[in-house]
Structure formats: C-alpha cells, structure tokens
Amino acid sequence: EIEAVDEEGIPVGKGCGFIASAGRVATTFNLVLGASGLRTKLPDGNILQAAGLAWFDAASDVAVATLDMGEIPIAPLGDSDRIEQGEKVLILGPKLGFENDVKEARIEKIGAAPAQPAKLSGGVSGANAGGPGFNLAGMVVGVAVLLPDGSSAMAPVNPLKAGLEEAKTRSFGEVTSAAAQRPAADILRDAHRLLAGGRGRVAVQLLQRAVSRETPSAAMLTALGEALLADDRPRAARRRFEEALKTEPGWPARSGIG
C-alpha cells in the first residue's frame, strides 16, 4: 500500500504498488502526481519513505519511486509484448483485512501503441491501482491503472522495464517539479484530471510550478485559477483570472468570483 502526502505531510492519495527492482517501487503516476512524499507499507508491516521519483510515464500512468530498503522480494517481470486478447490476468492489491487481495480479469483490448494500457474486463479500483498484473505463469505483465472514464486497464510492463534501466542513471526528485517540465498540453490535461478527482491542492502545486517556469499562457493561468477556487482560495483565483485576461485580451477567463 502506498500513501502520497503533500509538503505538510497531509495525505493526498492512496493506492498500491510493488517492488519492481532493487530499491524501486512501481505505482501509478496519478497517485504520485503533486506529492511531496510517499509512504510505502511493505508486506511485513514496515513503512518506508520514498527517497524520490526515479522515472515516470504520464501517458501510461506509471511511475517509479526510490526506496532505501533492505532485502525485499522483487516481483518477476515478464514480457507484455506476448499478452493476448482474452488472456486471463490476476490483479494483486490490498483490501480491508487482507494483505493479498486478488482480482481476476481478462484482457478485452490490447493498446494500439506499445505503452498504451490494455483494457480489462474489470478488477481495478482505487485501492489496487498501481498493483501488479500477473499472467497465469506468475510473471508481472502489467501495472493496474484506471482510465479517465473509470474503467479498468493494465499498463504494459515492458516500458516500465525500460524505465527501470533509465532510473539507474538519473532521478527526478520531487514528482511535481518533474511533471511541471512537460509540454503545457500535458500539464493542463493532468491538472484537469486532478481537479475532477477532487485533488485541487495537488493541481495548484503542479500549475504553480509550471507557471513559474516560463511566461504562462492564458489557458495555464485560467487553469490555475480554477484549481485555486477548488482549493477554496478565491482571492488568489481572481488574481490569476485577471492575469489571464491581460495576457490574452478577449480570453474567456473569469474576472470575478460569482
């Protein structure tokens, strides 16, 4: 089980994950987005703080964090290029009172692109998103994720394996800073997703970092205003809406709080 916390140590999300390699835990990008820290509960009950973000892929909703840990069993990673439509997979994750709750699902549709998640018949929830998807041979072939419409899916494991290799030579540090360095369209998409999920404070953190990086667009300023409103900060939101109007006259940003 993984809990994401903000700069004040307040929980902002909870999900699942698994040890993908020595010192590396895989989970969902959606969970860690905007988090300043991660608390990972191991099978033996110990809780470890993540040292930083090692790798992420926003498109497939997968991220890898660094853990300072001892000898812990590593999940065996398989080959997602060999999965087939109709194949049965087992999604592992926590559930109330159970350490290893297993959900069964079938692959309904394989993603068109190599990193695109495969659609599942079910089995994924907020509790087990980020958990491993095993084939019947006992190999991890994907990471359980939820699509924007709430349906179950499984991100293929092969891009994660490539990401683990990249993570050997670099680390992003705090996930919000890394996420804010992507193209504006990606940042806006993730901010809207965070707002839809009731994570206004996290959306504010992401957008504020993006706005401070370079001259912001009217769309970015408006999105930050909406996030500030969701975080119950109307005065700050009004300032951002007014900045958006000055940046691009005629922009349909809100100049007042009604």
Side-chain angles (χ1 to χ4, degrees):
E1 184 177 83
I2 298 178
E3 184 177 59
V5 297
D6 65 12
E7 295 170 349
E8 300 174 356
I10 299 174
V12 294
K14 184 177 291 186
C16 193
F18 61 97
I19 306 301
S21 68
R24 301 284 189 265
V25 59
T27 186
T28 64
F29 178 68
N30 185 53
L31 174 65
V32 302
L33 177 61
S36 294
L38 295 175
R39 298 174 183 148
T40 302
K41 183 180 180 181
L42 301 177
D44 60 7
N46 287 327
I47 297 178
L48 298 179
Q49 298 283 347
L53 180 71
W55 175 85
F56 70 90
D57 178 29
S60 61
D61 195 21
V62 178
V64 175
T66 303
L67 289 180
D68 184 9
M69 62 187 194
E71 294 294 327
I72 300 176
I74 297 172
L77 304 183
D79 184 359
S80 54
D81 288 343
R82 302 181 65 179
I83 62 174
E84 299 179 352
Q85 186 170 327
E87 182 178 350
K88 183 185 295 185
V89 292
L90 303 175
I91 307 298
L92 186 66
K95 190 177 180 180
L96 293 176
F98 296 90
E99 291 300 328
N100 294 303
D101 180 56
V102 179
K103 298 293 185 183
E104 182 179 303
R106 289 189 180 276
I107 298 174
E108 291 187 338
K109 184 179 180 181
I110 296 175
Q116 185 176 351
K119 190 169 183 180
L120 301 180
S121 60
V124 182
S125 66
N128 65 10
F134 288 88
N135 62 17
L136 296 187
M139 304 295 290
V140 176
V141 291
V143 181
V145 297
L146 288 170
L147 297 178
D149 63 2
S151 58
S152 299
M154 184 179 70
V157 77
N158 284 2
L160 168 61
K161 289 161 64 175
L164 290 170
E165 288 299 313
E166 290 182 29
K168 292 179 179 179
T169 58
R170 67 175 183 178
S171 179
F172 289 109
E174 186 184 348
V175 63
T176 314
S177 299
Q181 295 174 18
R182 295 173 300 136
D186 292 343
I187 296 170
L188 288 170
R189 180 201 63 208
D190 288 333
H192 291 145
R193 182 173 64 179
L194 289 166
L195 286 171
R199 300 174 67 189
R201 177 180 295 182
V202 179
V204 168
Q205 293 176 2
L206 173 64
L207 290 166
Q208 283 180 332
R209 283 167 172 78
V211 165
S212 65
R213 199 164 49 91
E214 56 188 31
T215 302
S217 65
M220 190 74 74
L221 290 166
T222 299
L224 178 52
E226 295 291 350
L228 288 163
L229 272 182
D231 197 36
D232 197 25
R233 296 161 65 182
R235 290 185 180 179
R238 182 183 291 111
R239 288 197 298 270
R240 293 304 189 177
F241 290 141
E242 291 172 349
E243 289 175 19
L245 290 170
K246 291 178 181 178
T247 300
E248 188 175 332
W251 176 261
R254 296 160 60 177
S255 58
I257 308 299

